[in-house]
Amino acid sequence: MSRPHVSIEQATGADVEAVHALDDACFGVDAWSQESVRTALTGPHRHALLAHEGEELVGYAISMLGGDVLDLQRIAVAPGHRRSGLARVLFDRLCQEGAAGRAQRLMLEVSEANASGRAFYEACGLTEVARRPAYYRDGSAALVMELPLTPEDEDVVEAHLARERTDVAELAELAEREEWRDA
Ligand SMILES: CC(C)(COP(=O)(O)OP(=O)(O)OC[C@H]1O[C@@H](n2cnc3c(N)ncnc32)[C@H](O)[C@@H]1OP(=O)(O)O)[C@@H](O)C(=O)NCCC(=O)NCCS
């Protein structure tokens, strides 16, 4: 039996419940309330992308545009789907769409204690520009990280999107092979 393909699309108000459930599974005590998720998906200057495998929500990335800064507020992948490049696909797509708009840099805060989040952002080329001590509820510091975004011409954006379509197809193929191997 083949596994459904991964698709990436923009979130709408209809996705609040599913994103809230996945946020809860990924962030536990730091998960957003349902109202915060609704604002994050539908509020002004927000941009949210969802990754579905078949009907299942397996990842999401939420950003907010302020001036020329794209603030990455959340990115998460369901625990059983990690380390297969899914967050990277969401991240690249968010950056391209931000750069195609008016964003000149992407910024975010990540807890110093979040080893996987930090490793992911470093792999994406972000660099630390500031540190806010005792920022989170558990007393950990926030690292402020930044990535310049270069506006690209239409051909380059299209080439990126084509590569991502291939990435998504490859992810689905990989998932299919894994299922075949596990069977
Ligand atoms: C961080 C997170 C989004 C990464 O998602 P993912 O789909 O597993 O990431 P990818 O597969 O796209 O990883 C791309 C690269 O990032 C790095 N990376 C990702 N997770 C890593 C980990 N746990 N340890 C070390 N490096 C990691 C690796 O270089 C990886 O490339 P590789 O697998 O070829 O080595 C995921 O672990 C998650 O949802 N964590 C909980 C939520 C969270 O902390 N989000 C970030 C703060 S908002």
Side-chain angles (χ1 to χ4, degrees), residues 22-23 25-27 58-60 72-79 81-91 108-111 114-124 136 171:
L22 185 52
D23 196 68
C26 293
F27 289 97
V58 292
Y60 60 96
L72 178 59
Q73 302 186 308
R74 276 288 209 242
I75 186 163
V77 168
H81 296 263
R82 290 179 187 166
R83 297 310 287 271
S84 62
L86 196 45
R88 187 64 202 241
V89 170
L90 285 165
F91 180 86
L108 58 86
E109 281 154 5
V110 61
S111 165
N114 184 348
S116 56
R118 289 174 60 189
F120 171 70
Y121 292 138
E122 277 161 22
C124 291
Y136 293 101
L171 277 175

